[in-house]
Amino acid sequence: MLTFTAPTLSYFLLSPILVVLGGALLGVFAEAVLSRESRPSAQLTITLSTLVLALVQVWRIRDESSLSAAMGSVAIDGPAVLLQASVLILAIFSVFLIADQGSFTAMAAAIPGSPEEKESLQRGEKLTEVYPLTLFAVAGMLLFPVATDLLTLFVALEVLSLPLYLMAGLSRRRRLLSQEAALKYFLLGAFSSAFFLFGAAFLYGYSGGLTLSSIYDAVIGGTANSVFLLIGISFLSVGLLFKVGAVPFHAWTPDVYQGAPTPVTAFMAAATKVAAFGAMLRIFYTAFANAYWDWRPFLTVIAIITMAFGSLVAIAQRDIKRMLAYSSIAHAGFLITGVLALNKAGLDATIFYLFAYGIATVGTFGIVTLVRDSSGEVTDLNRWAGLGKRSPFIATAFATFLLAFAGIPLTSGFIGKFTIFSAAYEGGNKGVVVVGVLSSAIAAYFYIRVIVLMFFTDPEEDGTVVVIPSVLTRITIIATFAITIFLGVFPTPLLNFITSMATFIR
Amino acid sequence: MTSNALVYLIALPLFGAAVLMLAGRRADRRGHILATVLSGGSFLLGLYEFSQMLSRSSENRAVTQKLFSWISVGSFKVDAGLMLDQLSISFVLLITGVGTLIHIYSIAYMSHDLDRRRFFAYLNLFVAAMLLLVLGDSYLNLYVGWEGVGLASYLLIGFWNQKPTYATAAKKAFVANRVGDLGLSLAIMVAFATLGTVSFSGVKENAGQASTAALTAIGILLLVAATGKSAQLPLQAWLGDAMAGPTPVSALIHAATMVTAGVYLITRSNFIFDAAPIAQLAVAIIGAITLLFGAIIGAAKDDIKKALAASTTSQIGYMVLGAGLGPAGYAFAIMHLLAHGFFKAGLFLGAGSVMHGMNNEVNMRRYGGLRKFMPITFATFGAGYLSILGVPPFAGFYSKDRIIEAAFNAGGVRGVLLGSAALLGAAITAFYMTRVVVMTFAGKARWEEEVHPHESPALMWLPMVLIAFGSTFSGFLFTRGDALRNWLAPVVEPVAAREQELLSPALVSILALLLVVVGAGLAVMKYLRQDVPVVAPEDVSIFTRVARRDLLQDDFNEAVFMRPGQHLTYALVDIDEVIIDGAVRGVGRMATGSAGALRTTQTGFVRSYAMWILLGAIGLIAAIWMVTL
Amino acid sequence: MNPANYLYVSAMLFTIGAIGVVVRRNAIVVFMCIELMLNAANLAFVTFARINGNLDGQVMAFFTMVVAACEVVVGLAIIVTIYRSRRSASVDDASLLRR
Amino acid sequence: MINLALEVGKTPAPEAILFWILAPLVLLAALGMLLAKKAVHSAILMAWVMITLAIFYIAQDALFLGIVQIVVYTGAVMMLFLFILMLVGIDSKDSLTETIRGLRPIAILAAVGFGGLLISLIGRSTLGHDEVGLATANEAGNVPALAQLLFSRYVWAFEVISALLITAALGAMVLAYNHRITSRPTQRELSEMRFRTGSLANAAGLPNPGVFALHDAVDVPALLPDGTPAPNSISATLEARGDIIDSRPFQLGEMEEEK
Amino acid sequence: MIKSSSWLTILGILPLLGAVLISALPKKSELNAKRIALVTTLVIAALTVAMATQFQRDNVDMQFVVSRSWIPSLGINFALGVDGIALVLILLSTLLAPIVVLAGWNEATGGRWSVKTFYILLLILETMMIGVFAATDVFLFYVFFEAMLVPVYFLIGGFGTGARSAAAVKFLLYSLFGGLLMLASIIALYVISGEQGGPTFDIGALSQLQMSSTTQNFLFLGFFIAFAIKAPLWPFHTWLPDAADAATPGTSVLLLGVLDKVGTFGMIRYSLALFPEASKTFTPVILVLAVISIIYGAFMAIGQTDFKRLIAYTSVSHFGFITMGIFAMTSQGISGATLYMFNHGFSTGALFLIAGWMAARRGSSKIGDFGGLQRVTPVMAWVFFFAGMSSLALPGLSTFVSEFLVLVGTYTRYPVAAVIGAFGIVLAALYILIPIQRSLHGPTTPGNESLTDLNVREKIAIAPVVAIILVLGFYPSPLLNVINPAAQHTITKAGFSDPLPTISAKVGK
C-alpha cells in the first residue's frame, strides 16, 4: 500500500502568484455580489491592490533561491523575481489603461449593432469582468517563467492564454474585428499549444520525466539518441515561438493586435512577451543548455527571418496598430538573439530588453488609445498626420517611444539593443548581429515615417483629435516615458541589479 | 644678406588695393592717385634696392627677408620669405616702372569710367601679386603670386563683365591659367617628394643629387605652368580673348609683365632645366612652335588688340625658345622679355590711345591715315614697331637676334630647325606689324563720320613717350658689354664658351633684317598699295580663314575638352540622379516592394496562418531529419 | 508488442488533426481537429509513461484533458459569439483583418 | 507485409490483436473526420476516435485515463461540441471549392511531409532502454498511484488549474450571458402590447408552419388564406440557416389550374 | 580660473543652458530667443578660444581630460578630452555657431514650428557637436554621433524649404544606416575588449586590442562606411545635395561645415587609431573613392543649376581631398586634412550663407535666376566671389594651405592619387567661375534690379569669416602648431612615418 506524504508548498515563495490568483477570485466574487454601479471602482481597486501586493511579495522574495517552492514545479531564483516583477509592473500600467473603459464593450454577449448593445452603451455600463480576467492572465504570466516542469508550464501557458483569448474579443468599437481577432487568436493559440504539448510528450519520452532538470540530466548522461529530444525541442519551441510572435509563427500578431481593444493589446504585447521569453530563457538556458548544438542553428535562422521579416513588412503597414505588431515581431527577433547568446550577458540583456521594450510598448499603446475621432480610436496612419501640431507633448512622447524601438541612443531601446547584440556577438553569433543591425536600419525607416507624419505633415481636418487622457492613462504615459528616457541615460542601476540577480538555478 | 625693406615692395601696392577695395565709393575721388603714388613708391623702393645691389659684389647682391614661418608640417617647411636677386630686380623694375607709367596713363584713359577706383585697386593688386611672384624665395611663394596675378588678370579682363563675352573671356583666362597652375603645383609636389624642399635655394642645392627622371618631370610640369601663364601652346587660347580688358591692362599684364612670368619661371629654374635636357628641349620646341603660331594669327587679325595679343604670344615664344636653349639663351630670353616689356607696352598703349581717339573702335579696317591726327601716338607706336621688328638700334634688335643666333647654335638639326623657325617668325612678325601700322596710321581714312580722331591727353602720351624711350634704348644698354648677362650671372650660370658657331652674329642679323624687309614689304604691298576694304573680304584662302579663326585653337579646345567635358558633366549628373541616387532609392523601393509582397502573406484567413505554423513545424522537423540522418 | 506502434498512431493522428485545422472551414470542426491533436499528444504521453515506467505521463494526460475541457468552453463561447454576429461559423468569413 | 504479419504473430498478448484491429480503424475515423463534408459526421467520427483512444489507454495500463477519456471527453466535451453544432447549423456543409488559392495542394504535401518525417524520425529513435512497463508503478493500483502523484508532486499544478476552470466559466459568461437591461415584461404587458399596438393581425398568435397534407414539416412556411406563404410562421433560426422549403408548390390555386 | 577638467563639460553644458533659457521664454518673444542664442554662442566661442589658449601644444596626450563613470556595468565612461585635431574642430563648431545665428537672423521664421524651437534645436546641436569631437569613449562618441541626427533632422525638416521632409528623412536614414553599421563594430570591439581584460570603450585601451586581420577588416568597414556616409564620400553622397538644398542656410552651414567633419574626424580618430592594419589594407580602395569624389563632385558641381546643390557637390569634392589626405598617412596629409576641415567650414560656410542671402532676396536659388549682381549688390557679390576664391583654393586664402598640404602629403606616398586629385584644382575653377559668371557678371537680368545689398547685421556676420579665411591663408601656424603634434602622433601610432625625399634615400645608400 502506498503511503501518502502530504506535499509541502512554500506559500511564501509562491505568494506573488497566490496573491494574484486570490485577487482574481475576489474579483469574480465581487462580480457576483456587488451592484453593477459599484463594480468598476471596486474591481479596479481590487486589481491594483492585488498587483501592488504581489509586487511587494516579489520584492520580499528577491533574495530567495529555491527549487522546492512547489514540490519541484516552480523555481524561485533571480530571473524569476526579475521577470515576475517586470510582468507585474507592466500589468499595473496596463490596468491603468484598461481602467480607461472607453475601449471595452459594455455587453460582450450583445450582437453588434443590436438595440441591446446601444442600450447598454447609453447606460454607460462597464464590463468589469475584464479585471479578474486580467488577473488570471497575470497569474499565468507569473507562473510561466518560473515553472520547472512541463506540466506546470503547460498549465501556466493555458492560464495566461485563455483570458487573453477572451479579452481580445471585447472591443467596444468595431466589434466584428475584435471578435474575429479573438477567434483567430484562440484557434491559432490552441493549435500551437497542441504542438507544445506534443513536444512535451516527446521530451517526456526522451527523459522519462517531466521536469526540466530531468531533461537536463538526460541530455548530459542519457542513453537515448537525440531524435526524441530534437522533436521535443522543436515542437515545444513552436508553442513558445508562437507566443512571442516569431516568424513563421507570427501571423496572428498583426490581426490580433489590430482587433483587440488597445489596452489589451498593450498588456499582451508587453507582458506576454516577458512571460514567454522568460520561459524560453529558463527552458533553453537550463534544460536544453547542453544540447545547444542542436537547437542553435534553427533558432538562429528563425531569429534572422523574424528580425528581417518584421522590420520589412512593417514598412508596408497603413495601420498604426498593425505597424506596431510587426515591430513587435521584429523585436521578438532581437530578443531571440539574446536567447541564442546562451551566456550570462545574454540572460541579463534579454531581461533588460524585455522590461525596456515592455514599458515602451505600454506607453505607445497608451497613446494610441488617445487618438480618436467621433467613432473611436483612429489607427489609420494617414490620419495621424500633424499630430505634433495638435498635441506636441503626446507626439513627442510617441516619437520618443518610436525612437526607443528604433534603438536611438539615450533611450532605453538603445541600451537594450546594445547589450543584447553584444551578448549575441560574445556568444559567437556574428551573423545574427549583422542582420540585427541591418534590420534595425530598415526598422528605423518606418518609425521615422510615423514621426515625419506627425511632425512634418499638415493635419487634415478629419475630426481626429487627441482626447485629454484620464489621470491613470496620463500616469501611464508619463511614467513609461520617464522610464524609457531614464533607462537610456542611466541604465546602470537596473543593469547592475539584473546582473547581480540573474542566475538560473537548476 | 638680409633686408627688411623687401616686404614693403609688395606691401605698398597691396595696401593700395586693400584701401581702394574696402573704402568703397568714398575713395572714388582720390583713389587712383593713391594707387599711382603707391605703385610709384614701390618703383622708387625698387630703384633704391637696385642701387644698393649695385654697390655690392655680384656674389652678395642677392638679399633675402624671412617674414615668418608660413607652413610647417613635418619636413614640409615653407617660410614666408622674399628674395631679391639680380633676376628679381630686373623684373621688379620692369613691373613697377612700366606699371607706374601705366597707372598714370590709366588715370586719363579710365577717367570716364564710373568704376575707375576699382580698376586701380585691381592694378595695385596685380602689381603686388606680380612682385610677390618674382620676389618669393620658394616655389610655393612664387605660386601665391602666380595665382595672384592670375586673379588680377581675371578681374581686369572681366572689368567690364556686364558684357557677357567679356565675362566669358575672363573665365577662360582663369581656367586656362589654372591648367598651368596645376602643372606648377604638381611640380612643387614632385620637387618636395624627391628633393625634400621647395625653396629655390634648397632645390638648387639638391637638384644635383636627384635623378634625371625626376628633374625632367619637374621641368615638364614647370613648362606646363609656363605655357599657361605665358600663353604658349597648347594653353595659348585665352590671351586673345583677354583683350576684353581695358587696354592699359593689356599693356601691363597681357604684354609687359604677367605673361612673361613663364619665362621668369623657366629662367629661375635653370638649375632644373640644365640638368634635364629633355625638358629643356621641350621648352625650346614649344617656344619655336608658339612663336610661329602667334605670328600667323597676328597676320590675320583685324582687331588691333588681338593682333597685338597674337604678337605677344609670338614674342613670348621667342623668349621661351631662348630660355629653352639653356645657359646660352637665358640672358637673351630675359633681355627680350625686358625689351618686349617696353615695346609691347608701348604698342598697346598706342593702341589704347588710338581707341581713345576713335570711340573705342578696335577694327583696323575702320582706321587709316591716323598719323596726321595722332602724331605722338604714331611716333611712340613707331618706336615700338621698329623695336619689335628688330631694326637696329632699337631694343628688339639686340634681344631677338641673339635668340635667333643662339637657336642656330643649339647644334645639329635641332639648331637649324629652331633657328629657321625663329627667323621665319621674324619675317612674319614684320609682315603683321607692318600691316598693323599701315592699316592704322597710313592709307585712307576709313572711319565713320561721327568719329573724330584726336590725340590723347598728356597724361596718356607722357607715359607712352617714356616707354618709347625704353623700347628704343634699352636693348643697347643691356647689351653694352653684355651688361645684362653679367648682371644675371650668379643666378643663371654664365654661358660656356661657344663650342661652335653655325652662323656668325652678323650673318644672323643680316638674314633677319633681310627677312624683315621682305615681310614688311609684303605688308606694304598688300595694305598700302591696295585699298583696305572696310569689311573683311570673305573670299579668302582657307589658310587665311583658319588663321582668322586663331588657327582653330578655340575649335580644338571646344571639340577636345569643352564639349566632351560638358557631355561628361551632363552624363554624370544623370548618372548621379539615375544610377547612384537611383540605387539608393532602389534599395528603398526594393524594401518597400518586398514589404508589399510579403504583406500579402497576411491573407486574413486563419487557416493560412495555421498553414504557416504547420510549415514552420515541418521546416523544423525536416531540419532534424537532415541532421540525424 | 512494441509500444512504438502507438507512437506511430499518435503521430498520424496528430498529422491528421493538424491538416484538419488547415483544410476545414467550419470553426467547430477546426476546433475538433485541434482536440484530436491534443488527444494524439495524450496517446503519446500514455505510451511514453508505459515505456518509461512511471505515471507522470498519465498525470500529464489527465491535466491535458482538463485543460482541453476549459479550452473547449472558451473556444465554443467565442465561436458562438462570432456566429451570432455574423450568422456564420466558417473561419474563412472571419477575414476582415488583413494586410 | 510479411514482417507485419510476423510481428503480429510474435506479439504475446491480445493487446497486439486489439491494436492491429483498432489502429487502422482509428486512423480511418480520423481521416473520415477530416474528409466528412458535414460537421456532424465529423463529430460522430471524432467520438469514435476518442473511444478508441480510451481503449488504447486501458490497454496501456492507464485505466483511470481510459475511463476519464470516455466520461469527460466523449461524454462531456463531445456533447458540448454537438450541442454547439446544433446551434449553429447541424447540417451546414463545407463547400467543396477551396477559397484560399493553392492551399489544398500545399496541405496535401504538408500532410505527407509532416507525417512522413515524423514517422521516419520515430522509427529512427532509440531510447537506450527497453520498455519498462507500468507493473511497478501501478503496483498499488493505477488510481491510487495517480492520486499519489496528483496530490503531492503535482499538487501545485492541480491548484493552479482551478484558475483555468474559473476563467473558462467566467469567459463563457462574459461572452454568452446577456443580462437584462430592462425588466422582463409581465404577461399583462405582453398581452396589452399585442392588442394595442398596430393591427390586430397577430393578435391570435403566429400561424403554424406547414399545414398541408403534403407537407407538415417545420421548415415549410404556412400558407395564408389568400394563398401566400407566411414567412413568420417558421423559426427565425431555420430562416437564418436557410433551411426553408418553398411552400409554393403546395399552393391550392396552382393545383386548381392543373385541371 | 576654470579647472582643466571642467572646460569641456562647461562648453557642452552652456548651449543646453541657453536652450533651457529660451524654452522658458513666452511663446511670442522671438527676438529674445535670438538674442539669447547669439549671446550663448558668443560666450561659448569666447570660452573655446580661451580654452585653446590653455592648450599645451607639444603635448600629444589628450588634454582637458574628464572621465566619469557613466554606465559602469558596461564599462562606459563619460570621458571627454581633446588633442590638437579635436580642439581645432571644436573651435570650428563654436566659432561657426554665432555666425550662423547672426547670419540667419530671420531664417527661422516661416518654419513649421516657432522661432524658439529653432534656436533650442540649434543650441542642442551645438552641445552634440562639441560632444562628438570631445568624446574619448567610443560609446559616448556613438551616442553623440547618433543623437546629433535628431536636432538636425528637425532643423532640416521643420525649417527648410522645398522637399524638406523628404530630404530630412533621407539624411536621417542614411546616417542611421551608417551609424548602425558602426554600432555593430562597436559591439564587436566591446566584446573583444571584454575578452582581453575587461570591457571598455576607452579609445586608448581599444587601440591596444589584438585582433585577427579579418576581424579588423570587418570592424574597420563598419566604422568607415559610417564615416564615409557622413563625410560624404562617393558613392554615399546623394543625401547631401538634397539635405543642403532643403535646409536653411544656417543649418546647411552647420551640416556641411561641422557635421560632415564628424565623418572625416572619425576616420582619423577611430579608423586609423583603432584599426591601423585594416586601414593599410583598405587604403587603396579608399584613395580611389576619394579621388573619384574629388573629380566626380567637381563635375557634378559644374553640372548643377542650383546654388545650394552646387555648393553641396563642391563639398563632396573637398571631402574627397580631406579623405585622401587622411589616408595618405603622412603628417602633411593628416595635418592638411585637419586644417582643411577647419578651412572648409569657413569657406563653404561663407558660400552657403551668401547663397542663402541671395536666395532669400530673390526667392530662388537657381543660378539662372540671377544675373549682374555685381552691379546691383556689390558687397554681396564680392563676398561671394571671395568665398568662391577660397573654395577654389586660391593661394593666399586659407584653403590653399590645407589643399596643398593634402596634395603634397599624398604625393609623397601615393603620387598617382595626388596627381589625379590635383585635377580637381582645375575643375574647381570651373565650378566656381561658371556660377559667378552667370549670376554676378553679365547684364543685370530682370527681377534682380532691386535686390538690396548686405545690411549691417549680415556684414558683421560675414566679416569674421572673411577675416579668418584671409588671415589663415597667410598665417596658418597657430592652427598648424596645434594640429601637427596630434597628426604626427596619429601616424606614429598607426605605424607609419613620413616618406623621406628620394634623394636622401639615395644619399643614404
Side-chain angles (χ1 to χ4, degrees), chain B residues 66-115:
Chain B
K66 186 195 161 181
L67 297 173
F68 50 85
S69 165
W70 182 28
I71 304 174
S72 166
V73 178
S75 55
F76 187 79
K77 291 190 170 63
V78 182
D79 290 338
L82 302 177
M83 177 186 72
L84 185 72
D85 62 5
Q86 292 89 328
L87 182 60
S88 311
I89 193 72
S90 317
F91 275 84
V92 167
L93 292 177
L94 176 73
I95 295 159
T96 53
V98 175
T100 307
L101 289 177
I102 288 173
H103 271 77
I104 297 169
Y105 176 91
S106 304
I107 294 176
Y109 188 85
M110 298 297 286
S111 59
H112 300 302
D113 199 294
L114 284 175
D115 284 325

Side-chain angles (χ1 to χ4, degrees), chain C residues 9 12-13 16 36, chain D residues 20-36 41-42 45-46 48-49 52:
Chain C
V9 173
M12 284 187 247
L13 286 178
I16 292 170
L36 182 62
Chain D
W20 288 113
I21 293 170
L22 286 181
L25 283 179
V26 78
L27 288 174
L28 275 179
L31 267 180
M33 183 190 146
L34 184 67
L35 298 175
H41 295 165
S42 294
L45 288 169
M46 175 78 185
W48 166 244
V49 172
T52 316

Side-chain angles (χ1 to χ4, degrees), chain B residues 72 147 161 209 576 581, chain E residues 170 237 296 313 375 484 506:
Chain B
S72 166
E147 287 231 324
N161 59 33
Q209 294 147 20
D576 199 56
D581 203 30
Chain E
K170 194 171 181 182
H237 64 277
Y296 182 90
Y313 276 112
R375 315 282 146 185
N484 281 339
K506 213 158 104 185

Side-chain angles (χ1 to χ4, degrees), chain B residues 567-585, chain E residues 234-235 237-238 292 296 300 304 313:
Chain B
H567 288 307
L568 178 62
T569 305
Y570 297 143
L572 282 180
V573 169
D574 286 346
I575 286 173
D576 199 56
E577 172 67 22
V578 176
I579 297 182
I580 298 184
D581 203 30
V584 174
R585 278 177 282 129
Chain E
W234 186 90
H237 64 277
T238 54
I292 291 177
Y296 182 90
M300 288 304 296
Q304 295 306 308
Y313 276 112

Side-chain angles (χ1 to χ4, degrees), chain C residues 6 24 35 50-51 56 92, chain D residues 15 36 73 97 99 132 154:
Chain C
Y6 288 108
R24 295 304 299 253
E35 292 297 319
R50 175 180 169 196
I51 293 173
D56 296 53
D92 280 5
Chain D
E15 190 193 344
Y73 247 120
T97 48
T99 39
V132 178
Y154 295 111

Side-chain angles (χ1 to χ4, degrees), chain B residues 72-379:
Chain B
S72 166
V73 178
S75 55
F76 187 79
K77 291 190 170 63
V78 182
D79 290 338
L82 302 177
M83 177 186 72
L84 185 72
D85 62 5
Q86 292 89 328
L87 182 60
S88 311
I89 193 72
S90 317
F91 275 84
V92 167
L93 292 177
L94 176 73
I95 295 159
T96 53
V98 175
T100 307
L101 289 177
I102 288 173
H103 271 77
I104 297 169
Y105 176 91
S106 304
I107 294 176
Y109 188 85
M110 298 297 286
S111 59
H112 300 302
D113 199 294
L114 284 175
D115 284 325
R116 184 169 63 171
R117 171 189 55 84
R118 196 155 56 82
F119 181 79
F120 275 91
Y122 295 167
L123 275 188
N124 263 4
L125 176 66
F126 169 75
V127 171
M130 191 68 205
L131 287 172
L132 177 58
L133 195 164
V134 296
L135 287 175
D137 72 346
S138 71
Y139 280 103
L140 205 64
N141 290 340
L142 176 140
Y143 190 39
V144 177
W146 188 265
E147 287 231 324
V149 293
L151 171 69
S153 152
Y154 166 80
L155 291 169
L156 284 163
I157 295 168
F159 185 71
W160 289 312
N161 59 33
Q162 61 267 47
K163 270 187 85 171
T165 48
Y166 287 13
T168 313
K171 185 186 71 191
K172 184 177 178 184
F174 197 105
V175 173
N177 270 300
R178 266 260 149 162
V179 178
D181 300 348
L182 172 64
L184 182 52
S185 57
L186 287 175
I188 300 173
M189 288 173 218
V190 181
F192 175 69
T194 47
L195 307 170
T197 174
V198 297
S199 73
F200 292 137
S201 53
V203 172
K204 186 176 183 178
E205 205 171 300
N206 293 351
Q209 294 147 20
S211 67
T212 315
L215 291 175
T216 305
I218 299 175
I220 297 283
L221 289 167
L222 289 175
L223 174 62
V224 171
T227 59
K229 199 60 67 190
S230 296
Q232 299 296 291
L233 274 167
L235 295 173
Q236 78 295 351
W238 62 274
L239 189 60
D241 292 352
M243 295 304 119
T247 311
V249 170
S250 310
L252 178 60
I253 301 181
H254 303 123
T257 54
M258 183 191 89
V259 286
T260 57
V263 182
Y264 169 78
L265 180 67
I266 293 171
T267 312
R268 173 61 80 197
S269 314
N270 59 72
F271 37 83
I272 287 172
F273 286 99
D274 290 347
I278 296 173
Q280 203 162 41
L281 179 62
V283 173
I285 290 171
I286 291 285
I289 294 175
T290 310
L291 75 89
L292 287 175
F293 189 90
I296 292 168
I297 294 175
K301 286 286 163 187
D302 289 337
D303 178 325
I304 186 168
K305 286 181 73 181
K306 294 213 166 160
L308 291 177
S311 158
T312 305
T313 305
S314 171
Q315 292 303 313
I316 299 171
Y318 275 105
M319 300 171 212
V320 171
L321 171 60
L325 296 173
Y330 291 129
F332 304 131
I334 296 298
M335 192 192 296
H336 192 56
L337 188 156
L338 296 173
H340 176 258
F342 286 114
F343 65 68
K344 190 50 72 61
L347 287 170
F348 264 113
L349 291 185
S353 177
V354 168
M355 286 161 62
H356 189 76
M358 295 290 292
N359 278 4
N360 286 327
E361 178 63 72
V362 290
N363 188 348
M364 293 190 293
R365 291 181 187 277
R366 286 287 179 187
Y367 294 164
L370 286 176
R371 183 179 43 187
K372 290 185 287 261
F373 298 89
M374 305 177 173
I376 303 172
T377 307
F378 175 63

